[in-house]
Amino acid sequence: MHVARTGGARKRLWASHRRRLVSGASAIAATVALGAAAAGVAGVGSTSSAAVHARTVRGAQPAGAVSPHPATGTPRLPVSTTSATDAIKHLVQCGATMYAAGEFTQVISNGSTLTRDNVFSFSATAPYKVTSWAPDVNGTVNSIALTSDCSHAFIGGSFSKVDGATADNIAYIRTSDGSLVSRWGHDANKQVQTLALTPNGHLLVGGQFTSINGSSADPYFTSLNPSTGANDGFLHLNISGHYHYCNSTGGRCNVIFPTQVANQQLSHRGTLDLAEGVFTSVGGHARQQIFMLNLAASRATVTAWTSPEFDGSKGNLPGGYPYQCYWDESYYLRDAAWSPNDSTIYTVETGYHPWNQPVRNFPRTGVCDAAVAWPATQASVKHLWINYTGCNSLYSVAADSAAVYVAGHPQWSENSDGCKSAGPGAIADRGMQGLDPTTGNLLESASGTPVYSMSRANAGDMLITRAGLWIGSTNRYGNSWCNNEADHTALCFLSYSP
């Protein structure tokens, strides 16, 4: 749905500015047409001001979207009192239980502080009690995936021991007692960053590793047999390359991000997979930032979905696109989400601004520091809409039929004419935002209040379930606020109930 904009003179004054999010009425029509076509083709820093932190009345909940009021009683991490930052990096649900992975040693549940080493589980329904499951993992857990019967969990990250036994960066553990399944392979030579278990029985593992469980055949992205941990040959992509946007060497022109697959998202039908990271060649195709896999055959293949707006296939301006973000943010497309019918892809980016454009080049161009919608058509595509934050990063995105939820540490929405400040027509909305799926406009109440917000906590994961939206973030800046309500440090739940 599209929230009516009836907030008075400010709305009328900047009506023309808002139309930049799409390219006029024709772009709206194109969005609808492309979405319908794609359905067939796809196949499937917070201030400490008391005035800000006091409870405020948020915008009305749009029909079909999650409530702006976080559920009470959910687990949380302790508020940081030092420079160290704890984080919940990944959330999954299996049956009636939620599983959280990240970097932490304590969890607060209903007033009690519990010891939990980088992974824990809790009830998906009120009172959201943390379970007794307490695996002993001695380092960061970036990702977690559960078997279909919820009896075992695959974990990947940057660790060397699980349950006191050697396990380098990947492990298979029991959900009954957290113990390591020793017969399953547990050795990746560098960190594992993303795990996904496909409906057709493959564990897709991405990261910075070049060898995993005795196989070096498929560096950075490997398919493992869920029963044995061995490479099952489903992925053979020959991933290579990294980004280097400057012509000189040294200083900020140094390569910062190594080749890697850092994130992935299965389509709702489970036949397609998006993967983000650092690479220039995937499966024999030129790809940068993100690629789409077809999982329906006996071996996964790279689809034709891509865009010159991030892959460099048409070169840079003036004849091409500003596809390269700031040189120390060369890996900028950090997360993606599928629309409920898999016809549209939403992405969020960091990146500041295109590396070879002035910082105050307005209106903003390119996809840096923005939320973007794309048709999922398996071809080279162009964006449907872009919503700029004004040079603040977005790291996580989720979508339902009513809203696209984006989060990171933005301060504004619809800010194509500002950078680190509000440009004409910008709307103040920190941390988390809800966007109209059709236009990309910020969801606001009739009085002009943004429906959603969050303290600037660098949200790293958002998960849509049947019950609502779970948000995992950090305790950065020492805050605990979600939609202006306290006691939600690093974990927040917005339900579909009013």
Side-chain angles (χ1 to χ4, degrees):
M1 64 166 288
H2 177 58
V3 174
R5 297 183 173 277
T6 57
R10 184 176 71 88
K11 299 294 187 296
R12 292 190 294 273
L13 179 61
W14 297 114
S16 61
H17 167 80
R18 296 183 194 280
R19 286 194 290 269
R20 293 178 189 166
L21 290 170
V22 292
S23 299
S26 60
I28 298 290
T31 299
V32 176
L34 283 169
V41 176
V44 250
S46 176
T47 172
S48 60
S49 165
V52 171
H53 282 167
R55 167 111 181 227
T56 60
V57 178
R58 305 305 304 163
Q61 177 181 352
V66 298
S67 170
H69 298 292
T72 59
T74 52
R76 59 188 173 91
L77 300 187
V79 174
S80 176
T81 57
T82 69
S83 59
T85 299
D86 296 332
I88 291 177
K89 295 175 176 286
H90 195 205
L91 292 159
V92 296
Q93 181 173 355
C94 197
T97 303
M98 295 293 302
Y99 293 81
E103 185 175 9
F104 46 82
T105 57
Q106 292 182 325
V107 175
I108 297 174
S109 176
N110 295 316
S112 298
T113 300
L114 309 174
T115 297
R116 294 292 184 272
D117 293 321
N118 305 304
V119 66
F120 71 98
S121 65
F122 59 97
S123 173
T125 57
Y128 310 105
K129 182 180 179 181
V130 172
T131 73
S132 61
W133 189 61
D136 180 13
V137 185
N138 74 339
T140 301
V141 179
N142 292 322
S143 189
I144 183 170
L146 278 293
T147 56
S148 59
D149 63 359
C150 307
S151 65
H152 291 78
F154 306 93
I155 59 172
S158 180
F159 50 82
S160 60
K161 288 187 180 296
V162 174
D163 194 29
T166 298
D168 291 322
N169 306 317
I170 189 165
Y172 185 46
I173 60 179
R174 298 175 179 88
T175 57
S176 57
D177 58 8
S179 61
L180 178 73
V181 179
S182 58
R183 60 177 171 77
W184 198 87
H186 41 269
D187 180 20
N189 67 339
K190 292 185 180 179
Q191 73 167 310
V192 169
Q193 292 163 277
T194 177
L195 300 168
L197 191 60
T198 71
N200 57 350
H202 303 280
L203 179 66
L204 307 187
V205 184
Q208 297 181 16
F209 58 84
T210 55
S211 174
I212 186 168
N213 288 355
S215 173
S216 56
D218 301 296
Y220 315 118
F221 206 22
T222 304
S223 177
L224 301 181
N225 182 312
S227 298
T228 67
N231 187 337
D232 63 15
F234 183 61
L235 295 182
H236 190 59
L237 301 175
N238 295 310
I239 295 173
S240 64
H242 53 239
Y243 314 128
H244 192 181
Y245 295 161
C246 304
N247 293 325
S248 61
T249 58
R252 284 184 166 178
C253 292
N254 288 334
V255 175
I256 294 177
F257 296 102
T259 306
Q260 61 189 277
V261 170
N263 205 1
Q264 64 180 316
Q265 304 81 33
L266 290 172
S267 64
H268 292 89
R269 293 185 176 94
T271 57
L272 297 170
D273 190 34
L274 295 169
E276 301 85 55
V278 180
F279 37 73
T280 57
S281 180
V282 182
H285 301 276
R287 292 290 185 271
Q288 294 190 34
Q289 304 291 336
I290 186 171
F291 60 89
M292 181 196 291
L293 287 180
N294 182 349
L295 307 178
S298 58
R299 176 175 283 185
T301 56
V302 179
T303 75
W305 182 85
T306 187
S307 175
E309 296 182 66
F310 52 71
D311 69 11
S313 59
K314 300 296 184 182
N316 221 312
L317 295 176
Y321 297 84
Y323 72 94
Q324 301 167 320
C325 291
Y326 204 61
W327 48 60
D328 59 359
E329 292 279 9
S330 57
Y331 165 40
Y332 54 82
L333 199 159
R334 294 301 181 90
D335 195 19
W338 298 87
S339 65
N341 64 0
D342 292 336
S343 67
T344 305
I345 293 166
Y346 306 104
T347 64
V348 288
E349 287 80 18
T350 182
Y352 194 22
H353 63 86
W355 77 277
N356 56 357
Q357 289 186 6
V359 64
R360 300 198 176 278
N361 184 67
F362 301 132
R364 183 71 61 207
T365 59
V367 299
C368 314
D369 280 354
V372 191
W374 315 85
T377 310
Q378 293 180 26
S380 183
V381 300
K382 306 284 179 49
H383 73 266
L384 300 173
W385 52 253
I386 298 180
N387 187 325
Y388 292 99
T389 64
C391 300
N392 289 128
S393 297
L394 295 172
Y395 294 118
S396 187
V397 58
D400 56 25
S401 60
V404 179
Y405 309 97
V406 301
H409 55 83
Q411 299 180 73
W412 303 277
S413 183
E414 303 187 27
N415 194 17
S416 62
D417 288 307
C419 185
K420 305 298 184 183
S421 62
I427 305 169
D429 194 7
R430 286 180 176 267
M432 174 191 171
Q433 300 165 354
L435 309 180
D436 185 294
T438 302
T439 66
N441 290 339
L442 184 71
L443 295 178
E444 296 179 273
S445 69
S447 63
T449 304
V451 176
Y452 306 102
S453 73
M454 202 167 82
S455 51
R456 300 179 65 201
N458 285 6
D461 191 37
M462 294 198 288
L463 174 69
I464 294 282
T465 69
R466 292 180 183 273
L469 174 67
W470 288 95
I471 306 163
S473 60
T474 77
N475 60 0
R476 187 181 180 188
Y477 304 121
N479 64 67
S480 66
W481 305 91
C482 180
N483 243 37
N484 292 314
E485 297 186 26
D487 298 327
H488 299 282
T489 308
L491 185 61
C492 176
F493 178 56
L494 305 179
S495 75
Y496 283 117
S497 301

